[in-house]
C-alpha cells in the first residue's frame, strides 16, 4: 500500500439552525495541530474565524460523461483547484454547505474531476441534525432526508433540549433512513475531532467494514424455526388461512440451536425468493428449494424429506394457518424460533437496503444487474457500498458509489475467510424485493 | 520520469537556469515587453519581479493579494506597470521598479479575480470576478458587465481589441466595450467552458471544457465545432502566431489541430508525447516556430513546429510545473514550478 498523501476533505451539511457553524468554529479553534481551509457558502449563519475562508456560490453544473449524466459543483472545482496552489498551507479542507444543499453534486465532484481526485480525497460527509426541530423539517423538506442519507457521520445535536426517549426515537428514524452512518449525540457540537475529520467514509478499505448486522434486514418470511433430527420426516399440517397458498422453505442445519438459526438466516432470503415450485397437499419438500403449497379451503400437509436438523421458513406466521409440526405422528416443537415483522411498518421514503449472500456471485450477471440498476434507479440511490465475492476471484471486490457513479477495486484476498457478499443501498423509494431478487439472480 | 528524447533529435534547448526560494508557487507568469523581467504571481499571495535578462534573480517581492494571486499581466508597451488579480477580489496595478504605489481597484466583496488581461495597446485592462467582467482605464472602472448566468472562468481580448470574450458554464459571451449599452453576443454550449483563446486572426475562439472537449467557435457566424476524446478536462490552449494551429492539452499529449482552410473538422491532429503525465500548460512562441509544453511530472518540452517529430528538446525540472510563459521575442521560455522556483530556458535560434 502506498500512503495516500492527498489532502482530506470533509463536507459539513445540516439544516439552518442545526448548529453547523458552531461545530465548524469548534473544529477551527480546537488544538488539533491541523491547518484547515474552509469553504463556506455565502449565506453562512455566522462568520467563521479562520485565516483561510473562501466563499462558495453553489453553482451546479450538469456533466455528460459518455452514458452517465450527473451534476457537479462547478464552484468547488474552481475553488479547490485554486486552493491547491497553496499546498503547503493547510492539511485539511472543510466544505460547509447551505442548509438546503443536496450533498450529491458535492460528492460527485470528487468522482468526476481527475485533477481534484488526484490531489484531494473526500473523507466524509457529516450531517448535523437539530434534535429538537428536525421533526418540523423531515417531512416537508426533502433536503433533510437527503443530507441524512448521504451522511457517513450524523451528529444529533442539541440533545440537551430534548427528552432522552425522543432522542431514541429520532435515532431510530435516522437509522432506518441510513443504516451505515455513525451517530453521535452532541450538545453544542461537542464531539471528538477525529470522529469528524478522520472518517474514511469514501475509502474502499473502509467499505470492508460494512456490517450486515447493522442493517436490521427485513425478510421475505414472517417466521422461522429449527427442528432437531428425527427418524421420520418432519411434517407440517396447515388449516385454511388468509391466503390460498403459502411459500415454505426448508434448509438443512448442523444443529437445532438459536445460533444455527441465525447462521442460516443469512442465506435463506435469496433462496426463499428464488422462484418457488408449486406443490400440492401430501407432497414432499426437498431442503434447499422453496415450495408454494396450495392450502385452499381444505388445509394441507407437507413433508420435509430430511432426517437431520432442519430450519423451516414460512411466508406467514404459524398462527395464521394454525401450523402444527410432527415427526411421523409425534407432535414436535421447534428448538428455536423467530418471528419477523413484515416490511410495511415504515413509510419513510428514504431507507437503507442491505443485501447479503454466502458463496459467490457471477461476475457478468452482477455487472449487468448493477449497471442496469444504477442507470435506471441511480437518481434515487444516494449511496451504495459493498464487499463482493466474485466466482473465480481470490480477492474481495470492494466498491462504493454515489448515485450512478461507482468506484471499485479488488482488495484483500479471502484466504480462509468465509466467502460472502454484502451490499448496502441508501436511497429513496427503494424496492427492497426487487433488489433482493436482482441480487439473488447474480449468485453463481 | 524523464521523457526519452531521441538522440538524433536536433536540440532546441539552450541553457536552463532557475531561481528558487520564492515565497509560494508561481500560479501565473508574465514577461515585460522588453523581455528583461518577469512577473510571477504566487498562489500564496505575493507578486515577485524577477530579472530575467541573464540568470534569473528575484529583485523585488510585492505584497500581491491576500489569500493568493491568480493572474499577472505586464502592461504592453510599458516597462514598469504590472497588473494582477487575486483572492481578495481586487485588481492591482504595480510599479515593478517600486517608483510609485500600486493602484487598487476593488472589484468584488465576495468573489475573487480570476484573470486580468490588457488590451493589445495597453490602454484598457479587463478583469473577471464572479459573474462580473470589468474594464478599467487609467481612472478606474469604465465598464462593468454583470449580465452572466454563471461564474466567469476566463477572458480574452479580440486580437485588435474590438471585443472581449468571456467563458463560463453555458458557453461564451462576447462584449464590445466601446458601446456602453452594447448587447452581448452569446455562444451557447451546454457544458462548463474553462479556458478560452482567441485566434490571432480573430476568426476563431477556442475553449477547453470540463467535459473533456475542445470547442471551436467561428465568431463570424456563431457556428461551433466540438472535438471529443480528450482524457481529461482541457485547461491548456494556445494558438500559433498566425492563427493556423491550435495546441491543446487535456491529458498527457499535446494535440495540435490545423484550423486553416475548411477548419479542423475531420482532420487528423498532430499528437506529441512528453513524459506521460498530465500537461499543465502549452504555448506557442509569440514569434518564431517553437512550441513549449510543461507537465505535472516536471518536464519542459519544446518542439520546432517546422519539424516537430525530429527537432525539439526536453529538460527535467525539480518539481511539477505550474506555469509557462514565452518571452516576447520567442527566444526564452519561463516555467514556474511547485518547488517555488522559476526556470528560464534559452531556445536555440
Amino acid at each position: 500500500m502506498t500512503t495516500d498523501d492527498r489532502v482530506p476533505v470533509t463536507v459539513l451539511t445540516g439544516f439552518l439552525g442545526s448548529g453547523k457553524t458552531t461545530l465548524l468554529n469548534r473544529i477551527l479553534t480546537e488544538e488539533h495541530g491541523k491547518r484547515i481551509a474552509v469553504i463556506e457558502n455565502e449565506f453562512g449563519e455566522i462568520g467563521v474565524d479562520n485565516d483561510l475562508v473562501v466563499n462558495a456560490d453553489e453553482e451546479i453544473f450538469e456533466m455528460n460523461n459518455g452514458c452517465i449524466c450527473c451534476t457537479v459543483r462547478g464552484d468547488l472545482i474552481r475553488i479547490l483547484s485554486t486552493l491547491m496552489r497553496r499546498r503547503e498551507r493547510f492539511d485539511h479542507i472543510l466544505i460547509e454547505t447551505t442548509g438546503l444543499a443536496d450533498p450529491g453534486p458535492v460528492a460527485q465532484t470528487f468522482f468526476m474531476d481527475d485533477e481534484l481526485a488526484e490531489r484531494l480525497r473526500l473523507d466524509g460527509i457529516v450531517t448535523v441534525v437539530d434534535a429538537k426541530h428536525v421533526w418540523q423539517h423531515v417531512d416537508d423538506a426533502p433536503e433533510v432526508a437527503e443530507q441524512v442519507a448521504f451522511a457517513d457521520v450524523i451528529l444529533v445535536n442539541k440533545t440537551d433540549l430534548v427528552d432522552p426517549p425522543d432522542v431514541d426515537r429520532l435515532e431510530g428514524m435516522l437509522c432506518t433512513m441510513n443504516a451505515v452512518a455513525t451517530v453521535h449525540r452532541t450538545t453544542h457540537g461537542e464531539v471528538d475531532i477525529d470522529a469528524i475529520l478522520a472518517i474514511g467514509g469514501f475509502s474502499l478499505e473502509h467499505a470492508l467494514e460494512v456490517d450486515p448486522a447493522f442493517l436490521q434486514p427485513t425478510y421475505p418470511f414472517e417466521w422461522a424455526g429449527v427442528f432437531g433430527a428425527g427418524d421420520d420426516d418432519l411434517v407440517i399440517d396447515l388449516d385454511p388461512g388468509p391466503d390460498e397458498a403459502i411459500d415454505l422453505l426448508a434448509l438443512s442445519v448442523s444443529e437445532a440451536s438459536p445460533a444455527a438459526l441465525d447462521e442460516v438466516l443469512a442465506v435463506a432470503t435469496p433462496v426463499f425468493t428464488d422462484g418457488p415450485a408449486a406443490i400440492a397437499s401430501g407432497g414432499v419438500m426437498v431442503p434447499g428449494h422453496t415450495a408454494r403449497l396450495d392450502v385452499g379451503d381444505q388445509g394441507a400437509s407437507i413433508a420435509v424429506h430430511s432426517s437431520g436438523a432442519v430450519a423451516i421458513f414460512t411466508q406467514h406466521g404459524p398462527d395464521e394457518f394454525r401450523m402444527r409440526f410432527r415427526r411421523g405422528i409425534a407432535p414436535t416443537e421447534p428448538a428455536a424460533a423467530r418471528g419477523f415483522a413484515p416490511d410495511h411498518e415504515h413509510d419513510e421514503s428514504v431507507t437503507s437496503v442491505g443485501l447479503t449472500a454466502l458463496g459467490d456471485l457471477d461476475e457478468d450477471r452482477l455487472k449487468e444487474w448493477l449497471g442496469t440498476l444504477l442507470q435506471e434507479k441511480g437518481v434515487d440511490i444516494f449511496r451504495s457500498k459493498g464487499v463482493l465475492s466474485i466466482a473465480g476471484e481470490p480477492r474481495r471486490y470492494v466498491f462504493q458509489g454515489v448515485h450512478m457513479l461507482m468506484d471499485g477495486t479488488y482488495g484483500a484476498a479471502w484466504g480462509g475467510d468465509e466467502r460472502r457478499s454484502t451490499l448496502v443501498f441508501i436511497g429513496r423509494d427503494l424496492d427492497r424485493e426487487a433488489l433482493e431478487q436482482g441480487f439473488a439472480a447474480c449468485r453463481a | 520520469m524523464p521523457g526519452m528524447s531521441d538522440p538524433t533529435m536536433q536540440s532546441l534547448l539552450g541553457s536552463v537556469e532557475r531561481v528558487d526560494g520564492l515565497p509560494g508557487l508561481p500560479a501565473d507568469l508574465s514577461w515585460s515587453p522588453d523581455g528583461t523581467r518577469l512577473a510571477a504571481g504566487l498562489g500564496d499571495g505575493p507578486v515577485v519581479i524577477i530579472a530575467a535578462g541573464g540568470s534569473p534573480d528575484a529583485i523585488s517581492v510585492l505584497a500581491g493579494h491576500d489569500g493568493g494571486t491568480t493572474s499577472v499581466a505586464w502592461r504592453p508597451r510599458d516597462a514598469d506597470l504590472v497588473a494582477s488579480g487575486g483572492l481578495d477580489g481586487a485588481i492591482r496595478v504595480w510599479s515593478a521598479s517600486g517608483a510609485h504605489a500600486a493602484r487598487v481597484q476593488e472589484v468584488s466583496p465576495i468573489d475573487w479575480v480570476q484573470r486580468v488581461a490588457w488590451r493589445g495597446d495597453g490602454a484598457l485592462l479587463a478583469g473577471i470576478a464572479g459573474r462580473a467582467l470589468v474594464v478599467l482605464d487609467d481612472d478606474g472602472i469604465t465598464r462593468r458587465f454583470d449580465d452572466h448566468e454563471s461564474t466567469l472562468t476566463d477572458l480574452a481580448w479580440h486580437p485588435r481589441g474590438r471585443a472581449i470574450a468571456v467563458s463560463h458554464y453555458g458557453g461564451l459571451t462576447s462584449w464590445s466595450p466601446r458601446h456602453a449599452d452594447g448587447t452581448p453576443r452569446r455562444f451557447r454550449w451546454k457544458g462548463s467552458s474553462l479556458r478560452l483563446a482567441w485566434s490571432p486572426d480573430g476568426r476563431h475562439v477556442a475553449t477547453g471544457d470540463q467535459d473533456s472537449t475542445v470547442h471551436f467557435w467561428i465568431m463570424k457566424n456563431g457556428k461551433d465545432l466540438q472535438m471529443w476524446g480528450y482524457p481529461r478536462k482541457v485547461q491548456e490552449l494556445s494558438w500559433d502566431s498566425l492563427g493556423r494551429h491550435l495546441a491543446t492539452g487535456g491529458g498527457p499529449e499535446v494535440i495540435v489541430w490545423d484550423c486553416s482552410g475548411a477548419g479542423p473538422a475531420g482532420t487528423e491532429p498532430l499528437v506529441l508525447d512528453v513524459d506521460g503525465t498530465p500537461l499543465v500548460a502549452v504555448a506557442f512562441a509569440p514569434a518564431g516556430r517553437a512550441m513549449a509544453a510543461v507537465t505535472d511530472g516536471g518536464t519542459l518540452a519544446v518542439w520546432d513546429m517546422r519539424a516537430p517529430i525530429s527537432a525539439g528538446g526536453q529538460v527535467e525540472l525539480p518539481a511539477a510545473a505550474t506555469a509557462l510563459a514565452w518571452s516576447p521575442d520567442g527566444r526564452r521560455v519561463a516555467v514556474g514550478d511547485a518547488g517555488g522556483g522559476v526556470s528560464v530556458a534559452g531556445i536555440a535560434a
Side-chain angles (χ1 to χ4, degrees):
Chain A
M1 278 303 289
T2 51
T3 53
D4 190 344
D5 62 352
R6 294 176 299 168
V7 175
V9 179
T10 303
V11 178
L12 201 51
T13 74
F15 242 49
L16 199 67
S18 61
K20 210 172 19 163
T21 310
T22 310
L23 172 70
L24 186 58
N25 276 322
R26 283 188 60 85
I27 295 171
L28 295 177
T29 51
E30 203 153 305
E31 289 294 325
H32 43 59
K34 289 189 205 298
R35 309 178 83 163
I36 299 175
V38 179
I39 298 173
E40 217 195 355
N41 61 73
E42 9 178 5
F43 310 105
E45 296 163 51
I46 52 172
V48 172
D49 181 26
N50 194 45
D51 59 0
L52 184 56
V53 181
V54 181
N55 279 299
D57 45 9
E58 217 183 318
E59 291 193 322
I60 294 179
F61 294 171
E62 278 180 39
M63 267 189 77
N64 227 321
N65 177 19
C67 58
I68 290 181
C69 292
C70 73
T71 49
V72 298
R73 284 278 298 271
D75 57 320
L76 291 179
I77 295 176
R78 201 171 48 243
I79 291 166
L80 291 166
S81 305
T82 302
L83 283 183
M84 292 324 284
R85 295 173 177 166
R86 303 171 43 120
R87 178 78 221 232
E88 270 75 279
R89 300 285 295 275
F90 50 77
D91 35 33
H92 203 105
I93 298 172
L94 266 171
I95 299 172
E96 186 203 14
T97 66
T98 64
L100 295 172
D102 173 3
V106 181
Q108 291 182 152
T109 298
F110 291 86
F111 279 78
M112 291 298 290
D113 191 282
D114 292 329
E115 186 189 9
L116 297 188
E118 283 159 12
R119 289 171 163 77
L120 303 167
R121 100 190 138 72
L122 181 54
D123 183 59
I125 296 175
V126 177
T127 297
V128 188
V129 171
D130 174 346
K132 190 171 172 71
H133 297 107
V134 67
W135 304 101
Q136 300 167 8
H137 304 302
V138 77
D139 287 328
D140 50 26
E143 295 87 0
V144 174
E146 273 164 19
Q147 290 170 1
V148 168
F150 267 104
D152 296 289
V153 169
I154 300 172
L155 298 187
V156 178
N157 196 27
K158 305 193 181 181
T159 49
D160 52 324
L161 307 178
V162 183
D163 293 335
D166 286 338
V167 183
D168 292 347
R169 194 163 60 96
L170 173 58
E171 204 172 312
M173 178 186 81
L174 297 173
C175 258
T176 307
M177 294 162 82
N178 182 336
V180 293
T182 310
V183 179
H184 299 283
R185 299 183 180 197
T186 58
T187 51
H188 311 296
E190 290 178 34
V191 64
D192 176 25
I193 218 84
D194 279 344
I196 304 284
L197 299 188
I199 300 169
F202 287 82
S203 115
L204 288 167
E205 286 157 63
H206 282 258
L208 291 169
E209 293 166 14
V210 172
D211 181 354
F214 266 128
L215 294 170
Q216 305 165 326
T218 59
Y219 296 96
F221 33 82
E222 286 185 18
W223 185 87
V226 279
F227 298 84
D231 294 336
D232 297 306
D233 281 353
L234 178 73
V235 180
I236 308 168
D237 299 309
L238 303 92
D239 287 353
D243 282 340
E244 288 284 301
I246 180 170
D247 288 357
L248 304 152
L249 168 67
L251 290 175
S252 298
V253 289
S254 51
E255 57 176 7
S257 67
L261 181 57
D262 287 344
E263 182 77 16
V264 78
L265 263 182
V267 294
T269 294
V271 184
F272 197 90
T273 52
D274 196 14
I279 288 184
S281 180
V284 173
M285 270 206 301
V286 182
H289 298 281
T290 307
R292 177 156 293 170
L293 178 65
D294 183 9
V295 183
D297 50 10
Q298 300 296 311
S301 291
I302 189 168
V304 181
H305 193 53
S306 164
S307 55
V310 69
I312 304 291
F313 302 85
T314 63
Q315 186 184 359
H316 301 286
D319 46 352
E320 290 182 71
F321 288 83
R322 217 172 66 82
M323 262 178 239
R324 288 91 64 205
F325 303 93
R326 54 191 165 93
R327 284 268 182 199
I329 54 166
T332 180
E333 293 290 328
R338 286 179 54 181
F340 305 98
D343 179 28
H344 35 68
E345 288 180 1
H346 303 290
D347 56 357
E348 287 99 346
S349 65
V350 172
T351 57
S352 303
V353 172
L355 304 169
T356 181
L358 286 174
D360 289 342
L361 303 175
D362 177 84
E363 186 175 8
D364 293 342
R365 274 180 278 147
L366 174 76
K367 275 186 180 157
E368 169 76 15
W369 173 66
L370 263 185
T372 308
L373 178 71
L374 294 179
Q375 274 294 344
E376 292 175 357
K377 302 273 189 282
V379 172
D380 290 328
I381 296 173
F382 301 128
R383 302 233 358 217
S384 54
K385 287 185 179 193
V387 182
L388 307 173
S389 172
I390 309 288
E393 170 57 52
R395 292 163 300 169
R396 292 169 168 85
Y397 184 76
V398 289
F399 83 90
Q400 58 106 2
V402 172
H403 288 308
M404 294 178 194
L405 304 176
M406 235 182 71
D407 174 23
T409 184
Y410 284 103
W414 288 102
D417 297 343
E418 183 182 48
R419 296 180 65 120
R420 64 161 62 217
S421 297
T422 308
L423 268 157
V424 183
F425 296 105
I426 302 169
R428 173 172 281 132
D429 301 326
L430 296 180
D431 181 344
R432 180 184 296 274
E433 208 169 317
L435 288 170
E436 281 169 350
Q437 284 174 357
F439 182 58
C442 298
R443 293 194 309 150
Chain B
M1 278 288 296
M4 288 299 294
S5 56
D6 181 350
T8 62
M9 195 182 237
Q10 296 268 317
S11 183
L12 271 190
L13 275 166
S15 66
V16 182
E17 298 192 79
R18 180 169 179 262
V19 56
D20 63 6
L22 303 182
L25 280 53
D28 197 17
L29 294 169
S30 179
W31 287 82
S32 63
D34 63 2
T36 60
R37 282 162 300 161
L38 270 167
L42 307 187
D44 287 291
V47 172
V48 181
I49 305 298
I50 296 166
S55 293
D57 181 26
I59 47 178
S60 62
V61 178
L62 308 167
H65 298 262
D66 199 17
T69 294
T70 54
S71 178
V72 286
W74 208 295
R75 188 181 191 179
R77 310 179 190 177
D78 189 315
D80 195 42
L81 293 184
V82 177
S84 65
L87 265 67
D88 57 359
I91 292 175
R92 296 169 193 269
V93 183
W94 310 89
S95 160
S97 62
H100 43 83
R103 243 181 67 203
V104 183
Q105 180 63 58
E106 301 287 346
V107 182
S108 167
I110 50 168
D111 296 304
W112 75 63
V113 174
Q114 175 69 24
R115 181 108 40 237
V116 290
W118 294 95
R119 195 169 72 181
D121 62 0
L124 294 176
L125 173 66
I128 48 174
R131 300 180 183 197
L133 162 66
V134 294
V135 182
L136 285 66
D137 62 13
D138 287 343
D139 300 322
I141 294 181
T142 73
R143 297 273 182 278
R144 187 177 184 109
F145 303 105
D146 286 308
D147 181 25
H148 300 98
E149 56 211 54
S150 78
T151 300
L152 304 181
T153 54
D154 200 6
L155 95 99
W157 284 87
H158 179 277
R160 283 176 296 288
R162 290 183 203 154
I164 304 169
V166 288
S167 55
H168 44 78
Y169 178 65
L172 284 185
T173 305
S174 165
W175 298 91
S176 171
R178 286 184 301 190
H179 308 296
D181 53 353
T183 45
R185 293 181 66 203
R186 310 273 187 193
F187 301 82
R188 295 193 184 280
W189 154 246
K190 192 176 168 45
S192 176
S193 297
L194 304 171
R195 296 299 301 266
L196 82 163
W198 209 316
S199 66
D201 59 11
R203 288 169 55 200
H204 298 110
V205 169
T207 65
D209 291 54
Q210 177 75 38
D211 58 6
S212 306
T213 61
V214 166
H215 278 249
F216 290 91
W217 292 96
I218 300 164
M219 297 309 278
K220 194 170 56 188
N221 57 19
K223 290 202 165 112
D224 78 312
L225 202 66
Q226 181 177 225
M227 300 305 189
W228 301 85
Y230 288 89
R232 298 162 71 95
K233 62 181 171 181
V234 185
Q235 302 184 100
E236 310 79 21
L237 297 169
S238 177
W239 289 96
D240 72 357
S241 57
L242 301 173
R244 176 175 172 177
H245 290 105
L246 176 78
T248 59
E253 296 161 327
V254 185
I255 311 286
V256 186
W257 298 99
D258 186 340
C259 304
S260 58
T267 63
E268 280 294 308
L270 175 69
V271 178
L272 300 168
D273 290 321
V274 186
D275 62 0
T277 66
L279 294 163
V280 170
V282 296
F284 277 100
R289 294 297 186 86
M291 182 182 75
V294 290
T295 67
D296 196 46
T299 301
L300 161 65
V302 294
W303 294 269
D304 179 339
M305 294 310 283
R306 286 168 303 192
I309 306 304
S310 58
Q314 286 195 9
V315 64
E316 259 190 281
L317 307 162
T322 56
L324 171 70
W326 281 98
S327 64
D329 62 3
R331 303 287 299 276
R332 277 160 306 149
V333 66
V335 185
D337 64 63
V342 173
S343 304
V344 178
I347 303 297

